[in-house]
Amino acid sequence: MKNILVIQGGGRVNGNTSQLVDAFIRGAKETGNFVENISLNKTEVKGCIGCNACRYGKPCVQKDGFNELIPKIKSADLIVFASPLLFWTLSSKIKAFIERFYCIAEEDADPPLGRYEKYPIKDAALLMTSADNYFWTYEQAVSYYKFAIINYIGFNDKGMLLAGGCGDTNGKPQIDKTNHLNEAYNFGKNIYRE
């Protein structure tokens, strides 16, 4: 049994991203994992202000929902970043959440690969939805995820589900007309199967 923390960075209440997350969670729970879903629509997390007051062992000076999420982040085996595609990348709410990892960094005398500090080692996965489904639709989002989460912070990549073609952004969610919900269910169900 693994402890999975899903961070949902925006999107409509019953929109494409919410439905994708729900399908992933169904699959993950079915195989005995504990899953908690945190919506950044309900839990406010402000972006890092770069004040450096939090350096190594000190809390962030901002008083918002991130402080309550720190124990959940530290106890999670897997953090799933879920976001609609907004202006060709992850939502600003997810980016703010990632920026705030700065306050849980620890000093590292010999950081690898250009890092300045070390972070708790976790597994990570990415769930995204979009109206478009071109070959380049997710290029910026995937680049940011791989660079910031995998290469810099140092999490272990457990995979991505990039659910394109989910309907016009001005209309109703249409993810149910695709195979993405089934894919998300199977992704959750098999994420820790050997």
Side-chain angles (χ1 to χ4, degrees):
M1 180 174 140
K2 298 288 186 177
N3 184 3
I4 300 173
L5 179 63
V6 178
I7 302 296
Q8 194 170 327
R12 293 172 281 182
V13 174
N14 294 310
N16 292 319
T17 304
S18 293
Q19 292 180 53
L20 195 72
V21 164
D22 289 345
F24 174 89
I25 289 172
R26 266 194 320 278
K29 283 184 173 180
E30 191 174 291
T31 50
N33 298 297
F34 173 78
V35 186
E36 185 172 4
N37 183 16
I38 303 292
S39 169
L40 297 181
N41 283 342
K42 297 176 184 171
T43 301
E44 182 187 32
V45 174
K46 299 173 187 168
C48 178
I49 58 174
C51 69
N52 272 345
C54 68
R55 289 291 68 193
Y56 312 136
K58 299 178 191 134
C60 180
V61 297
Q62 297 190 80
K63 306 299 179 211
D64 63 12
F66 189 80
N67 298 310
E68 297 159 18
L69 295 177
I70 292 172
K72 296 175 189 294
I73 292 166
K74 290 185 174 181
S75 66
D77 297 300
L78 168 68
I79 300 175
V80 178
F81 299 86
S83 175
L85 184 78
L86 300 176
F87 281 81
W88 309 112
T89 192
L90 298 165
S91 73
S92 60
K93 291 178 181 188
I94 283 283
K95 284 192 256 176
F97 173 77
I98 293 167
E99 287 174 10
R100 295 287 292 285
F101 274 56
Y102 194 64
C103 74
I104 59 174
E106 297 173 6
E107 195 166 7
D108 191 345
D110 188 24
L113 301 174
R115 292 186 188 110
Y116 301 102
E117 58 261 325
K118 63 182 174 183
Y119 293 87
I121 297 173
K122 305 289 173 189
D123 292 331
L126 179 65
L127 298 176
M128 291 194 74
T129 59
S130 67
D132 291 325
N133 198 22
Y134 301 114
F135 71 91
W136 47 265
T137 295
Y138 291 103
E139 203 166 293
Q140 282 212 77
V142 168
S143 176
Y144 181 83
Y145 168 76
K146 286 183 176 177
F147 183 83
I149 302 298
I150 307 307
N151 297 335
Y152 185 75
I153 292 176
F155 284 7
N156 303 308
D157 184 22
K158 295 294 282 182
M160 297 177 274
L161 177 50
L162 308 174
C166 293
D168 189 309
T169 54
N170 295 321
K172 292 181 179 179
Q174 295 183 34
I175 196 168
D176 60 332
K177 294 180 174 71
T178 73
N179 194 40
H180 297 315
L181 297 178
N182 189 46
E183 292 168 349
Y185 169 79
N186 287 322
F187 188 25
K189 188 172 181 177
N190 295 308
I191 199 156
Y192 280 110
R193 284 209 171 148
E194 297 302 321

